[in-house]
Amino acid sequence: MKRHGQLLARIAEPANLRLAFWKAAKGKRAKPDCRAFQHGIDANLAELHGQLLSGHVPVGDYRTFIVHDPKERTICAAAFRERVLHHALMNVCEPVLERAAIFDSYACRKGKGQRAAVRRAESYARQHDWFLKMDVRKYFDSINQRVLLALLARKFKDAAVLDVFEKILASYETKPGCGLPIGNLTSQHFANFYLAPLDRFLKEHLGCRAYVRYMDDFVVWGDSGAELRAVWREVEAFMTAELRLTLKPNVAVNKTAFGMDFLGYRIFPRELRLARRSKLRFASKFRRYEQAWAEGRWTEWQLQQRMQALLAFTLPARSRNWRLHVETRFGVVARRLEPHDPRGQLEQQRDQLPVGEPQQQQPGQQEQQYWVPRGSGPSSA
């Protein structure tokens, strides 16, 4: 197993720190802390450079708040200076963590993501009759920091980098020695990396070829329920002994023909639908967005920006009739964003203006005049 060293100098390079600033500032330019950092960017980056090389990097400056999307979560928003640090670390360390991942791990990875995970799950559902779906109980809050540092030490031999990692981990805990702050860039990558041993265990030790994981949601497909129940027992024992984690009690073993909820969708062997929870969230957000526009808190452009993102999630699934029902019932602006089938538009135009029949003039409408350029006609060249 190759371990990577001499990374701190690359992390502290001025060019890498400046790149980290631009990444951290994306979408945050109007925020006061971002503008303040940019106003003295040279001095701020030079200070961060010195702190990294000296090993005295201040961390743990979080602003916490609660979100309900859909369940209650505590979000820790790091100060802008720390977000620059996180991006600087991941610019250099992310490729090392990437090499530890298997192909069918889809969270926090370039070229992967939620859509790719769902497509892969669809393909496995068409090939196998049974599925086993598992989820980790309170995943971010349950990650053991000692175990995580031991896993990171297998990939990084640079003691200075490991020391920065340890400081970031120690800046937050839900109980002694456990927890990652939701909202940190480093937390996303660490959490995805933490289950890499589980991926290897399933693929190499248990021989599960049909397997997909997106963060702490993972599915195994097989040809019988008994086979997958045996996998369930092995996974539960491995996670308890090696990773100090516990599965949620809602482990599902069922036939793929009955459908499986995964990442907001309901996956069938030959069809993709929206999960019931996704429908409820869509309708709730849809009504809130339209209400914000109707009350004048959002402009039409702001409403369209948010509606496009909301509609985009539903497009891969068979959901058009249901979506149109929600839009007809609650919507005003969003109907304009609905994608249309060009063939349907042509049919509509054909119905409105039949071939060979002139359009009738409406009462009170001025007669339409047609202008013919001078020199045009049958005799013109």
Side-chain angles (χ1 to χ4, degrees):
M1 180 185 298
K2 183 177 180 180
R3 297 171 69 221
H4 299 262
Q6 300 181 350
L7 299 179
L8 187 66
R10 291 172 53 192
I11 293 169
E13 283 180 358
N16 181 57
L17 296 180
R18 193 168 292 271
L19 174 62
F21 162 76
W22 290 115
K23 288 184 175 182
K26 187 176 181 180
K28 308 288 185 182
R29 294 297 183 83
K31 297 295 180 68
D33 54 352
C34 177
R35 296 174 65 180
F37 191 97
Q38 186 175 8
H39 183 71
I41 184 170
D42 293 330
N44 288 324
L45 293 182
E47 182 182 16
L48 183 56
H49 171 84
Q51 290 171 343
L52 280 166
L53 294 182
S54 66
H56 296 91
V57 185
V59 296
D61 185 6
Y62 299 128
R63 177 177 60 87
T64 61
F65 55 93
I66 306 294
V67 298
H68 300 268
D69 192 22
K71 58 186 178 182
E72 182 177 305
R73 299 179 187 272
T74 301
I75 305 299
C76 296
F80 186 79
R81 179 183 297 272
E82 286 191 42
R83 294 202 294 272
V84 175
L85 169 65
H86 298 163
H87 279 281
L89 288 167
M90 288 301 112
N91 286 346
V92 176
C93 299
E94 181 183 355
V96 179
L97 301 178
E98 172 68 21
R99 283 190 282 272
I102 64 169
F103 180 85
D104 279 324
S105 172
Y106 288 88
C108 304
R109 298 179 64 194
K110 295 175 182 176
K112 299 287 185 176
Q114 184 186 55
R115 291 283 181 85
V118 171
R119 286 194 298 268
R120 188 68 160 174
E122 285 185 277
S123 69
Y124 283 141
R126 288 191 288 268
Q127 299 171 33
H128 300 278
D129 295 331
W130 289 78
F131 71 86
L132 165 65
K133 182 178 179 296
M134 294 169 280
D135 191 2
V136 180
R137 182 177 179 274
K138 295 184 178 179
Y139 180 51
F140 275 74
D141 290 347
S142 302
I143 289 176
N144 187 285
Q145 296 176 0
R146 291 293 102 193
V147 174
L148 176 57
L149 284 171
L151 292 173
L152 290 169
R154 296 180 187 178
K155 294 296 177 184
F156 301 92
K157 62 182 179 182
D158 195 326
V161 173
L162 290 172
D163 183 59
V164 176
F165 288 163
E166 185 172 7
K167 287 180 178 179
I168 292 174
L169 293 177
S171 67
Y172 176 89
E173 62 181 16
T174 54
K175 57 184 178 180
C178 290
L180 291 180
I182 299 176
N184 277 5
L185 176 67
T186 52
S187 296
Q188 298 175 29
H189 289 283
F190 289 163
N192 196 45
F193 170 72
Y194 192 77
L195 288 179
L198 173 67
D199 298 337
R200 299 291 179 184
F201 176 75
L202 279 160
K203 300 289 282 187
E204 298 171 4
H205 181 73
L206 299 183
C208 299
R209 301 183 64 182
Y211 167 69
V212 168
R213 180 172 69 84
Y214 188 90
M215 196 56 77
D216 63 315
D217 290 331
F218 50 100
V219 188
V220 181
W221 287 265
D223 297 321
S224 72
E227 168 195 348
L228 293 179
R229 289 186 185 92
V231 172
W232 175 5
R233 290 190 293 269
E234 294 278 357
V235 168
E236 197 165 32
F238 177 85
M239 294 185 68
T240 301
E242 301 295 330
L243 300 176
R244 316 283 177 84
L245 297 175
T246 305
L247 291 177
K248 285 184 179 178
N250 61 344
V251 175
V253 180
N254 211 336
K255 291 186 175 181
T256 56
F258 296 153
M260 175 190 71
D261 285 354
F262 186 58
L263 303 182
Y265 296 97
R266 184 82 176 166
I267 298 174
F268 293 86
R270 302 293 174 187
E271 188 177 51
L272 183 67
R273 302 178 188 174
L274 286 177
R276 181 178 179 276
R277 180 178 291 181
S278 295
K279 289 183 177 182
L280 294 175
R281 293 177 66 190
F282 178 92
S284 175
K285 287 187 175 182
F286 190 97
R287 296 175 69 177
R288 292 205 310 268
Y289 292 175
E290 288 277 358
Q291 185 178 4
W293 170 76
E295 293 175 353
R297 290 183 282 117
W298 288 355
T299 65
E300 185 170 322
W301 181 85
Q302 289 174 316
L303 174 63
Q304 289 181 345
Q305 291 292 105
R306 288 163 174 82
M307 282 295 189
Q308 284 176 348
L310 191 62
L311 291 170
F313 178 81
T314 68
L315 296 183
R318 196 192 74 173
S319 61
R320 187 171 188 272
N321 291 337
W322 169 82
R323 192 171 62 242
L324 288 175
H325 169 72
V326 175
E327 294 172 7
T328 302
R329 188 175 178 187
F330 303 115
V332 179
V333 177
R335 289 299 301 275
R336 308 175 198 173
L337 307 178
E338 181 69 27
H340 297 285
D341 185 349
R343 293 173 297 179
Q345 290 180 346
L346 291 176
E347 290 174 0
Q348 183 180 9
Q349 292 173 6
R350 183 186 61 196
D351 294 339
Q352 293 174 352
L353 183 61
V355 176
E357 295 184 13
Q359 186 175 9
Q360 295 182 354
Q361 182 176 342
Q362 300 296 326
Q365 181 181 0
Q366 293 184 356
E367 183 178 358
Q368 188 173 0
Q369 302 294 327
Y370 295 94
W371 175 72
V372 180
R374 183 177 298 174
S376 64
S379 61
S380 61

mmCIF file of all heavy atoms in Angstrom, residues 10-23 37 41 44-50 52 84-85 87-89 91:
data_model
loop_
_atom_site.group_PDB
_atom_site.id
_atom_site.type_symbol
_atom_site.label_atom_id
_atom_site.label_comp_id
_atom_site.label_asym_id
_atom_site.label_seq_id
_atom_site.Cartn_x
_atom_site.Cartn_y
_atom_site.Cartn_z
ATOM 1 N N ARG A 10 3.182 21.483 -1.040
ATOM 2 C CA ARG A 10 2.287 21.703 -2.184
ATOM 3 C C ARG A 10 0.992 22.368 -1.736
ATOM 4 O O ARG A 10 0.442 23.215 -2.443
ATOM 5 C CB ARG A 10 1.991 20.370 -2.873
ATOM 6 C CG ARG A 10 3.186 19.762 -3.598
ATOM 7 C CD ARG A 10 2.850 18.365 -4.080
ATOM 8 N NE ARG A 10 1.624 18.352 -4.872
ATOM 9 C CZ ARG A 10 0.977 17.253 -5.216
ATOM 10 N NH1 ARG A 10 1.418 16.062 -4.797
ATOM 11 N NH2 ARG A 10 -0.117 17.327 -5.955
ATOM 12 N N ILE A 11 0.492 21.984 -0.563
ATOM 13 C CA ILE A 11 -0.739 22.591 -0.051
ATOM 14 C C ILE A 11 -0.528 24.078 0.239
ATOM 15 O O ILE A 11 -1.402 24.912 -0.034
ATOM 16 C CB ILE A 11 -1.204 21.855 1.215
ATOM 17 C CG1 ILE A 11 -1.630 20.427 0.872
ATOM 18 C CG2 ILE A 11 -2.343 22.599 1.905
ATOM 19 C CD1 ILE A 11 -1.863 19.546 2.079
ATOM 20 N N ALA A 12 0.638 24.411 0.778
ATOM 21 C CA ALA A 12 0.915 25.796 1.177
ATOM 22 C C ALA A 12 1.424 26.662 0.036
ATOM 23 O O ALA A 12 1.675 27.858 0.248
ATOM 24 C CB ALA A 12 1.932 25.799 2.324
ATOM 25 N N GLU A 13 1.585 26.125 -1.166
ATOM 26 C CA GLU A 13 2.049 26.937 -2.290
ATOM 27 C C GLU A 13 1.094 28.101 -2.550
ATOM 28 O O GLU A 13 -0.130 27.922 -2.518
ATOM 29 C CB GLU A 13 2.145 26.084 -3.557
ATOM 30 C CG GLU A 13 3.359 25.184 -3.609
ATOM 31 C CD GLU A 13 3.392 24.372 -4.893
ATOM 32 O OE1 GLU A 13 2.433 24.511 -5.701
ATOM 33 O OE2 GLU A 13 4.348 23.617 -5.088
ATOM 34 N N PRO A 14 1.606 29.293 -2.811
ATOM 35 C CA PRO A 14 0.730 30.447 -3.059
ATOM 36 C C PRO A 14 -0.268 30.210 -4.191
ATOM 37 O O PRO A 14 -1.429 30.631 -4.098
ATOM 38 C CB PRO A 14 1.714 31.564 -3.411
ATOM 39 C CG PRO A 14 2.975 31.187 -2.685
ATOM 40 C CD PRO A 14 3.036 29.689 -2.741
ATOM 41 N N ALA A 15 0.160 29.520 -5.255
ATOM 42 C CA ALA A 15 -0.751 29.270 -6.371
ATOM 43 C C ALA A 15 -1.914 28.369 -5.936
ATOM 44 O O ALA A 15 -3.066 28.578 -6.338
ATOM 45 C CB ALA A 15 0.004 28.625 -7.531
ATOM 46 N N ASN A 16 -1.612 27.365 -5.102
ATOM 47 C CA ASN A 16 -2.677 26.475 -4.631
ATOM 48 C C ASN A 16 -3.625 27.216 -3.687
ATOM 49 O O ASN A 16 -4.844 27.013 -3.731
ATOM 50 C CB ASN A 16 -2.075 25.267 -3.916
ATOM 51 C CG ASN A 16 -3.144 24.307 -3.424
ATOM 52 O OD1 ASN A 16 -3.961 23.815 -4.190
ATOM 53 N ND2 ASN A 16 -3.145 24.041 -2.126
ATOM 54 N N LEU A 17 -3.087 28.083 -2.834
ATOM 55 C CA LEU A 17 -3.942 28.842 -1.926
ATOM 56 C C LEU A 17 -4.828 29.821 -2.686
ATOM 57 O O LEU A 17 -5.999 30.015 -2.332
ATOM 58 C CB LEU A 17 -3.080 29.607 -0.909
ATOM 59 C CG LEU A 17 -2.258 28.748 0.055
ATOM 60 C CD1 LEU A 17 -1.450 29.633 0.991
ATOM 61 C CD2 LEU A 17 -3.168 27.821 0.863
ATOM 62 N N ARG A 18 -4.288 30.414 -3.746
ATOM 63 C CA ARG A 18 -5.111 31.339 -4.541
ATOM 64 C C ARG A 18 -6.225 30.576 -5.266
ATOM 65 O O ARG A 18 -7.370 31.043 -5.351
ATOM 66 C CB ARG A 18 -4.224 32.093 -5.541
ATOM 67 C CG ARG A 18 -4.910 33.285 -6.203
ATOM 68 C CD ARG A 18 -3.885 34.127 -6.937
ATOM 69 N NE ARG A 18 -2.991 34.780 -6.002
ATOM 70 C CZ ARG A 18 -3.210 35.977 -5.454
ATOM 71 N NH1 ARG A 18 -4.324 36.633 -5.747
ATOM 72 N NH2 ARG A 18 -2.336 36.505 -4.642
ATOM 73 N N LEU A 19 -5.909 29.385 -5.782
ATOM 74 C CA LEU A 19 -6.941 28.551 -6.407
ATOM 75 C C LEU A 19 -8.006 28.165 -5.381
ATOM 76 O O LEU A 19 -9.204 28.163 -5.677
ATOM 77 C CB LEU A 19 -6.299 27.290 -6.998
ATOM 78 C CG LEU A 19 -7.257 26.239 -7.565
ATOM 79 C CD1 LEU A 19 -8.069 26.806 -8.723
ATOM 80 C CD2 LEU A 19 -6.487 24.993 -8.006
ATOM 81 N N ALA A 20 -7.565 27.857 -4.170
ATOM 82 C CA ALA A 20 -8.512 27.508 -3.111
ATOM 83 C C ALA A 20 -9.441 28.681 -2.801
ATOM 84 O O ALA A 20 -10.641 28.487 -2.551
ATOM 85 C CB ALA A 20 -7.749 27.094 -1.849
ATOM 86 N N PHE A 21 -8.892 29.899 -2.829
ATOM 87 C CA PHE A 21 -9.749 31.068 -2.589
ATOM 88 C C PHE A 21 -10.831 31.175 -3.655
ATOM 89 O O PHE A 21 -12.008 31.396 -3.340
ATOM 90 C CB PHE A 21 -8.916 32.354 -2.581
ATOM 91 C CG PHE A 21 -9.759 33.582 -2.768
ATOM 92 C CD1 PHE A 21 -10.527 34.074 -1.724
ATOM 93 C CD2 PHE A 21 -9.806 34.229 -3.991
ATOM 94 C CE1 PHE A 21 -11.338 35.188 -1.902
ATOM 95 C CE2 PHE A 21 -10.607 35.351 -4.170
ATOM 96 C CZ PHE A 21 -11.368 35.830 -3.125
ATOM 97 N N TRP A 22 -10.468 31.019 -4.937
ATOM 98 C CA TRP A 22 -11.459 31.159 -5.998
ATOM 99 C C TRP A 22 -12.536 30.073 -5.898
ATOM 100 O O TRP A 22 -13.709 30.325 -6.183
ATOM 101 C CB TRP A 22 -10.783 31.108 -7.368
ATOM 102 C CG TRP A 22 -9.958 32.322 -7.642
ATOM 103 C CD1 TRP A 22 -8.594 32.375 -7.805
ATOM 104 C CD2 TRP A 22 -10.412 33.673 -7.763
ATOM 105 N NE1 TRP A 22 -8.183 33.670 -8.014
ATOM 106 C CE2 TRP A 22 -9.274 34.483 -8.001
ATOM 107 C CE3 TRP A 22 -11.664 34.264 -7.692
ATOM 108 C CZ2 TRP A 22 -9.373 35.860 -8.173
ATOM 109 C CZ3 TRP A 22 -11.754 35.637 -7.868
ATOM 110 C CH2 TRP A 22 -10.619 36.423 -8.106
ATOM 111 N N LYS A 23 -12.153 28.890 -5.484
ATOM 112 C CA LYS A 23 -13.150 27.836 -5.303
ATOM 113 C C LYS A 23 -14.067 28.144 -4.125
ATOM 114 O O LYS A 23 -15.288 27.945 -4.205
ATOM 115 C CB LYS A 23 -12.454 26.486 -5.086
ATOM 116 C CG LYS A 23 -11.807 25.909 -6.343
ATOM 117 C CD LYS A 23 -11.232 24.523 -6.060
ATOM 118 C CE LYS A 23 -10.692 23.893 -7.329
ATOM 119 N NZ LYS A 23 -10.165 22.516 -7.088
ATOM 120 N N PHE A 37 -12.155 39.087 2.954
ATOM 121 C CA PHE A 37 -10.956 38.296 2.675
ATOM 122 C C PHE A 37 -10.334 38.720 1.343
ATOM 123 O O PHE A 37 -9.111 38.861 1.234
ATOM 124 C CB PHE A 37 -11.314 36.812 2.639
ATOM 125 C CG PHE A 37 -10.136 35.885 2.620
ATOM 126 C CD1 PHE A 37 -9.657 35.303 3.789
ATOM 127 C CD2 PHE A 37 -9.484 35.577 1.428
ATOM 128 C CE1 PHE A 37 -8.566 34.453 3.772
ATOM 129 C CE2 PHE A 37 -8.400 34.729 1.396
ATOM 130 C CZ PHE A 37 -7.939 34.166 2.573
ATOM 131 N N ILE A 41 -6.473 40.094 0.070
ATOM 132 C CA ILE A 41 -6.214 38.711 -0.304
ATOM 133 C C ILE A 41 -4.739 38.344 -0.208
ATOM 134 O O ILE A 41 -4.385 37.258 0.270
ATOM 135 C CB ILE A 41 -6.759 38.422 -1.730
ATOM 136 C CG1 ILE A 41 -6.577 36.932 -2.071
ATOM 137 C CG2 ILE A 41 -6.134 39.313 -2.776
ATOM 138 C CD1 ILE A 41 -7.288 36.520 -3.325
ATOM 139 N N ASN A 44 -3.837 37.949 3.450
ATOM 140 C CA ASN A 44 -4.536 36.810 4.050
ATOM 141 C C ASN A 44 -3.955 35.477 3.588
ATOM 142 O O ASN A 44 -3.798 34.539 4.383
ATOM 143 C CB ASN A 44 -6.028 36.873 3.701
ATOM 144 C CG ASN A 44 -6.744 37.976 4.455
ATOM 145 O OD1 ASN A 44 -6.436 38.252 5.605
ATOM 146 N ND2 ASN A 44 -7.705 38.626 3.804
ATOM 147 N N LEU A 45 -3.637 35.374 2.301
ATOM 148 C CA LEU A 45 -3.053 34.132 1.796
ATOM 149 C C LEU A 45 -1.636 33.944 2.326
ATOM 150 O O LEU A 45 -1.216 32.813 2.613
ATOM 151 C CB LEU A 45 -3.055 34.129 0.260
ATOM 152 C CG LEU A 45 -4.437 34.075 -0.403
ATOM 153 C CD1 LEU A 45 -4.296 34.034 -1.917
ATOM 154 C CD2 LEU A 45 -5.237 32.871 0.081
ATOM 155 N N ALA A 46 -0.888 35.045 2.470
ATOM 156 C CA ALA A 46 0.464 34.935 3.040
ATOM 157 C C ALA A 46 0.394 34.474 4.496
ATOM 158 O O ALA A 46 1.225 33.657 4.944
ATOM 159 C CB ALA A 46 1.178 36.281 2.938
ATOM 160 N N GLU A 47 -0.612 34.956 5.236
ATOM 161 C CA GLU A 47 -0.778 34.528 6.622
ATOM 162 C C GLU A 47 -1.127 33.036 6.694
ATOM 163 O O GLU A 47 -0.584 32.298 7.523
ATOM 164 C CB GLU A 47 -1.873 35.352 7.293
ATOM 165 C CG GLU A 47 -2.081 35.004 8.767
ATOM 166 C CD GLU A 47 -3.200 35.803 9.388
ATOM 167 O OE1 GLU A 47 -4.013 36.404 8.641
ATOM 168 O OE2 GLU A 47 -3.291 35.823 10.636
ATOM 169 N N LEU A 48 -2.025 32.577 5.829
ATOM 170 C CA LEU A 48 -2.400 31.162 5.807
ATOM 171 C C LEU A 48 -1.213 30.299 5.402
ATOM 172 O O LEU A 48 -1.009 29.210 5.947
ATOM 173 C CB LEU A 48 -3.572 30.955 4.842
ATOM 174 C CG LEU A 48 -4.142 29.537 4.732
ATOM 175 C CD1 LEU A 48 -4.579 29.016 6.100
ATOM 176 C CD2 LEU A 48 -5.306 29.510 3.744
ATOM 177 N N HIS A 49 -0.414 30.792 4.470
ATOM 178 C CA HIS A 49 0.811 30.084 4.059
ATOM 179 C C HIS A 49 1.745 29.885 5.258
ATOM 180 O O HIS A 49 2.252 28.772 5.492
ATOM 181 C CB HIS A 49 1.504 30.898 2.955
ATOM 182 C CG HIS A 49 2.873 30.415 2.596
ATOM 183 N ND1 HIS A 49 3.103 29.381 1.703
ATOM 184 C CD2 HIS A 49 4.104 30.817 3.023
ATOM 185 C CE1 HIS A 49 4.399 29.168 1.591
ATOM 186 N NE2 HIS A 49 5.037 30.039 2.375
ATOM 187 N N GLY A 50 1.959 30.935 6.026
ATOM 188 C CA GLY A 50 2.832 30.828 7.197
ATOM 189 C C GLY A 50 2.253 29.913 8.269
ATOM 190 O O GLY A 50 2.993 29.146 8.908
ATOM 191 N N LEU A 52 0.294 27.315 7.846
ATOM 192 C CA LEU A 52 0.428 25.920 7.413
ATOM 193 C C LEU A 52 1.848 25.409 7.627
ATOM 194 O O LEU A 52 2.057 24.297 8.139
ATOM 195 C CB LEU A 52 0.034 25.794 5.941
ATOM 196 C CG LEU A 52 -1.471 25.739 5.634
ATOM 197 C CD1 LEU A 52 -1.728 25.949 4.152
ATOM 198 C CD2 LEU A 52 -2.046 24.400 6.084
ATOM 199 N N VAL A 84 -11.282 28.315 2.769
ATOM 200 C CA VAL A 84 -10.108 28.389 1.880
ATOM 201 C C VAL A 84 -9.109 27.290 2.250
ATOM 202 O O VAL A 84 -8.545 26.622 1.382
ATOM 203 C CB VAL A 84 -9.451 29.783 1.957
ATOM 204 C CG1 VAL A 84 -8.171 29.818 1.129
ATOM 205 C CG2 VAL A 84 -10.422 30.864 1.470
ATOM 206 N N LEU A 85 -8.887 27.099 3.550
ATOM 207 C CA LEU A 85 -7.992 26.030 4.007
ATOM 208 C C LEU A 85 -8.474 24.670 3.544
ATOM 209 O O LEU A 85 -7.691 23.846 3.057
ATOM 210 C CB LEU A 85 -7.900 26.075 5.535
ATOM 211 C CG LEU A 85 -7.212 24.871 6.207
ATOM 212 C CD1 LEU A 85 -5.744 24.799 5.824
ATOM 213 C CD2 LEU A 85 -7.400 24.927 7.718
ATOM 214 N N HIS A 87 -10.345 23.870 0.970
ATOM 215 C CA HIS A 87 -10.133 23.700 -0.470
ATOM 216 C C HIS A 87 -8.657 23.489 -0.790
ATOM 217 O O HIS A 87 -8.315 22.695 -1.677
ATOM 218 C CB HIS A 87 -10.671 24.909 -1.226
ATOM 219 C CG HIS A 87 -12.150 24.874 -1.459
ATOM 220 N ND1 HIS A 87 -12.731 24.112 -2.455
ATOM 221 C CD2 HIS A 87 -13.171 25.499 -0.821
ATOM 222 C CE1 HIS A 87 -14.046 24.272 -2.426
ATOM 223 N NE2 HIS A 87 -14.347 25.114 -1.443
ATOM 224 N N ALA A 88 -7.789 24.203 -0.086
ATOM 225 C CA ALA A 88 -6.347 24.016 -0.313
ATOM 226 C C ALA A 88 -5.933 22.586 0.012
ATOM 227 O O ALA A 88 -5.137 21.966 -0.713
ATOM 228 C CB ALA A 88 -5.557 25.013 0.530
ATOM 229 N N LEU A 89 -6.453 22.028 1.100
ATOM 230 C CA LEU A 89 -6.144 20.648 1.469
ATOM 231 C C LEU A 89 -6.651 19.663 0.416
ATOM 232 O O LEU A 89 -5.918 18.766 -0.029
ATOM 233 C CB LEU A 89 -6.761 20.318 2.828
ATOM 234 C CG LEU A 89 -6.126 20.959 4.062
ATOM 235 C CD1 LEU A 89 -7.035 20.783 5.275
ATOM 236 C CD2 LEU A 89 -4.750 20.350 4.336
ATOM 237 N N ASN A 91 -7.478 20.195 -2.731
ATOM 238 C CA ASN A 91 -6.839 20.318 -4.050
ATOM 239 C C ASN A 91 -5.704 19.315 -4.212
ATOM 240 O O ASN A 91 -5.482 18.766 -5.302
ATOM 241 C CB ASN A 91 -6.296 21.732 -4.253
ATOM 242 C CG ASN A 91 -7.379 22.750 -4.510
ATOM 243 O OD1 ASN A 91 -8.527 22.397 -4.790
ATOM 244 N ND2 ASN A 91 -7.034 24.020 -4.402
#
